[in-house]
Amino acid sequence: MDRLDEADERILLELADHARATFAEIGLRVNLSASAVKRRVDRMLDSGVIRGFTTVVDRNALGWGTEAYVQVYCHGTIAPDRLRQAWLDIPEVISAATVTGTADAILHVLARDMRHLEAALERIRSSADIERSESIVVLSNIIDRGRPDR
């Protein structure tokens, strides 16, 4: 896709802030017709600028209030794709990334309570060739730009 223009960027901002808005509502905010907004959104979907739409579930509302960051240290070298496959089906892992430094990866983990966290950690450690892990339990979130304000 060619470079995004100002209208595309305004549409993306509107979608980020009001994902359930109709094309007509977005069009009113960005001074375009609903059909023009739809064409631009379709083009951004086709080109991969917009990768998809999703529902974000607040796991805290489900009682998953125990949060931790887990640094993982592997035996030898493990490809990132292999780590991804090992952790993809563990629902407590809400994000995972390979990192620089002494750890091979860092995982963001949510659980109902410490017992649930402990069980998730056991599954994480047994899912790949893990030497050890170090967990950091979150006491409070002071900045979280990934969660919409209510």
Side-chain angles (χ1 to χ4, degrees):
M1 175 174 185
D2 294 330
R3 191 171 184 283
L4 298 179
D5 64 17
E6 184 180 333
D8 291 333
E9 290 176 3
R10 289 191 337 254
I11 290 169
L12 289 172
L13 289 172
E14 287 297 324
L15 284 171
D17 287 343
H18 310 285
R20 293 183 57 173
T22 66
F23 293 135
E25 291 168 335
I26 293 171
L28 286 173
R29 292 186 184 111
V30 301
N31 289 331
L32 291 172
S33 69
S35 60
V37 171
K38 182 185 181 326
R39 279 193 305 275
R40 286 170 176 269
V41 169
D42 288 346
R43 189 183 75 238
M44 289 187 279
L45 279 164
D46 290 343
S47 67
V49 171
I50 298 173
R51 296 188 317 198
F53 299 92
T54 188
T55 299
V56 178
V57 176
D58 183 353
R59 292 186 181 171
N60 288 315
L62 300 176
W64 289 36
T66 301
E67 184 174 6
Y69 290 91
V70 181
Q71 296 178 94
V72 175
Y73 302 82
C74 301
H75 290 284
T77 302
I78 298 179
D81 284 346
R82 194 163 151 229
L83 291 174
R84 182 181 187 280
Q85 285 305 118
W87 299 324
L88 194 59
D89 292 329
I90 301 175
E92 295 86 354
V93 177
I94 62 170
S95 69
T98 55
V99 294
T100 61
T102 57
D104 293 293
I106 188 163
L107 286 66
H108 187 187
V109 179
L110 284 180
R112 285 184 303 278
D113 52 32
M114 292 304 283
R115 182 171 295 210
H116 184 196
L117 177 61
E118 185 176 20
L121 291 173
E122 287 301 317
R123 287 198 318 279
I124 289 165
R125 286 192 290 258
S126 66
S127 63
D129 193 12
I130 307 301
E131 178 182 336
R132 66 186 175 92
S133 66
E134 293 180 14
S135 301
I136 303 162
V137 175
V138 174
L139 298 176
S140 62
N141 284 298
I142 55 175
I143 297 175
D144 190 347
R145 291 186 173 93
R147 295 182 186 160
D149 293 330
R150 295 178 192 225

